[in-house]
């Protein structure tokens, strides 16, 4: 499954994502991964959640980010959920068309690897493409 949490900066998306990760850790039998553009959230995450700092704008486009995700999945077949915060900071160029393409790739990865993706994006809900709106939680 692929889910998105969207909204403006400061609306509590990151806090919600961290809470979901920490709660899921209590009931999951697999590994959880939390990807962020910086290390600010590490003190709030449980230490058993694998944290990966992706850096600000380090990946040029959704294709590079897709490869990044595939590399993570290839290294550990026990991953149950990948939480992604700061997506619009991690990828240098991410417009609405690319967001739809990324969501489609993530759906494919989720099906093939039995993994869930939950992603926070700084994007107004009204401006999201319909294909992404249907994935909102």
């Amino acid at each position: 499954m692929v889910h998105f949490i969207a909204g403006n900066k400061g609306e509590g998306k990151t806090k919600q994502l961290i809470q979901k990760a920490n709660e899921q850790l209590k009931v999951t039998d697999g590994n959880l991964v939390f990807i962020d553009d910086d290390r600010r959230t590490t003190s709030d995450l449980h230490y058993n959640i694998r944290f990966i700092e992706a850096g600000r704008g380090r990946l040029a486009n959704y294709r590079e980010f897709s490869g990044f995700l595939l590399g993570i999945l290839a290294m550990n077949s026990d991953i149950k959920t990948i939480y992604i915060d700061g997506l619009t900071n991690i990828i240098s160029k991410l417009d609405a068309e690319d967001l739809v393409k990324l969501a489609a790739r993530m759906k494919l990865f989720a099906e093939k690897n039995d993994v869930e993706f939950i992603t926070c994006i700084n994007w107004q809900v009204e401006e999201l493409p319909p294909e992404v709106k249907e994935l909102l939680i």
Side-chain angles (χ1 to χ4, degrees), residues 40-56:
R40 286 178 294 157
T41 58
T42 56
S43 62
D44 296 326
L45 277 175
H46 191 279
Y47 62 86
N48 283 337
I49 298 172
R50 173 79 165 107
F51 180 83
I52 300 172
E53 183 180 4
R56 291 191 168 272

Side-chain angles (χ1 to χ4, degrees), residues 83-137:
Y83 295 89
I84 304 164
D85 191 30
L87 180 66
T88 52
N89 292 329
I90 295 169
I91 302 174
S92 294
K93 179 197 170 286
L94 187 67
D95 59 22
E97 183 180 335
D98 289 345
L99 182 59
V100 170
K101 291 175 184 176
L102 177 60
R105 286 190 180 191
M106 290 168 74
K107 282 182 187 179
L108 181 65
F109 299 164
E111 291 169 10
K112 288 189 173 190
N113 296 283
D114 191 27
V115 67
E116 179 179 21
F117 293 96
I118 302 177
T119 306
C120 280
I121 53 172
N122 290 330
W123 207 302
Q124 290 185 355
V125 173
E126 308 82 44
E127 295 178 6
L128 285 171
E131 299 89 343
V132 177
K133 273 187 187 176
E134 67 186 26
L135 302 173
L136 288 175
I137 54 172

Side-chain angles (χ1 to χ4, degrees), residues 5 11-19 34 36 40-41 85-86 120 122:
I5 301 170
E11 291 184 356
K13 297 179 305 296
T14 298
K15 188 176 271 189
Q16 182 181 355
L17 194 67
I18 291 169
Q19 182 180 3
F34 197 99
D36 202 347
R40 286 178 294 157
T41 58
D85 191 30
C120 280
N122 290 330

